[in-house]
């Protein structure tokens, strides 16, 4: 698998991939209306452009040969790295791509001098929570965040300490 940093010219493709992944994965957890809202607010071309230009985010495509199997979004946060997004297409889950993405992220974070990686995950996303625990993440708190339009994100905050 190859991990390729997304350029500004790639963001329309990235936003299309995000829309596809969210609509195939989250209907078991969220309503279609909330998925549409969250994609527009956090995963659209406009949102990701702003995240890169003004908020310090980096996006990466996860590719196997010519096929894009997923994507990842990260942001340095003090002494930690925030893993904002790690999503795989449905047909590519369970093939080890997430583990390779985590290996990359841990190396990259250590190289930047970070001592931990943190993330938020929906409390009802049992599969992802199990994957994060398997990778050494622990729940540090739970939070409910109002994201507007009558929607909230009901999440766990998880963190993994990195050895130097």
């Amino acid at each position: 698998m190859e991990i390729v940093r997304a350029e500004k010219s790639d963001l329309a493709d990235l936003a299309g991939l995000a829309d596809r992944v969210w609509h195939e994965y989250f209907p078991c957890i969220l309503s279609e209306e909330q998925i549409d809202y969250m994609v527009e607010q956090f995963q659209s071309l406009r949102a990701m452009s702003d995240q890169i230009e003004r908020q310090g985010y980096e996006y990466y495509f996860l590719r196997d040969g010519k096929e894009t199997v997923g994507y990842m979004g990260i942001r340095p946060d003090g002494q930690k790295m925030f893993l904002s997004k790690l999503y795989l297409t449905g047909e590519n889950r369970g093939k080890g791509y997430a583990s390779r993405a985590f290996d990359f992220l841990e190396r990259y974070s250590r190289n930047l001098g970070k001592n931990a990686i943190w993330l938020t995950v929906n409390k009802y996303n049992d599969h992802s929570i199990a994957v994060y625990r398997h990778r050494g993440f622990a729940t540090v708190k739970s939070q409910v965040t109002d994201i507007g339009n009558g929607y909230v994100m009901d999440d766990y905050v998880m963190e993994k300490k990195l050895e130097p």
Side-chain angles (χ1 to χ4, degrees):
M1 182 181 79
E2 185 179 21
I3 299 175
V4 180
R5 187 167 178 169
E7 302 298 329
K8 286 174 78 172
S9 60
D10 298 320
L11 291 183
D13 290 339
L14 188 62
L17 178 63
D19 185 66
R20 174 184 160 206
V21 169
W22 273 65
H23 282 91
E24 70 184 22
Y25 186 77
F26 285 105
C28 62
I29 300 173
L30 305 171
S31 71
E32 194 74 21
E33 294 80 15
Q34 184 168 352
I35 294 168
D36 291 341
Y37 179 78
M38 291 181 72
V39 167
E40 178 58 33
Q41 294 299 307
F42 305 113
Q43 299 282 269
S44 65
L45 175 59
R46 175 197 51 77
M48 288 190 285
S49 295
D50 183 68
Q51 291 163 4
I52 289 171
E53 292 170 10
R54 293 182 182 84
Q55 299 176 44
Y57 279 75
E58 300 171 15
Y59 278 93
Y60 295 86
F61 288 104
L62 309 178
R63 293 194 172 127
D64 190 351
K66 293 184 180 188
E67 181 185 6
T68 299
V69 299
Y71 69 101
M72 176 173 48
I74 61 174
R75 177 180 48 84
D77 181 29
Q79 291 300 307
K80 300 177 184 181
M81 181 66 76
F82 174 47
L83 173 58
S84 175
K85 299 149 189 86
L86 175 57
Y87 297 108
L88 299 170
T89 58
E91 66 275 13
N92 288 298
R93 293 185 193 116
K95 296 182 177 180
Y97 295 122
S99 288
R100 287 182 256 169
F102 278 118
D103 291 343
F104 164 85
L105 180 58
E106 290 172 18
R107 277 191 315 274
Y108 184 66
S109 298
R110 279 188 197 96
N111 287 342
L112 292 178
K114 306 301 178 190
N115 61 25
I117 299 168
W118 71 278
L119 57 87
T120 60
V121 60
N122 184 291
K123 290 177 184 173
Y124 304 100
N125 192 344
D126 296 330
H127 175 75
S128 292
I129 292 167
V131 169
Y132 297 141
R133 285 188 178 136
H134 177 75
R135 289 298 303 196
F137 285 81
T139 302
V140 295
K141 69 179 180 177
S142 114
Q143 65 185 22
V144 176
T145 306
D146 184 340
I147 58 171
N149 212 39
Y151 299 117
V152 298
M153 292 190 306
D154 190 9
D155 294 333
Y156 292 123
V157 176
M158 300 183 79
E159 184 173 288
K160 178 178 182 172
K161 302 287 185 199
L162 298 175
E163 300 298 324

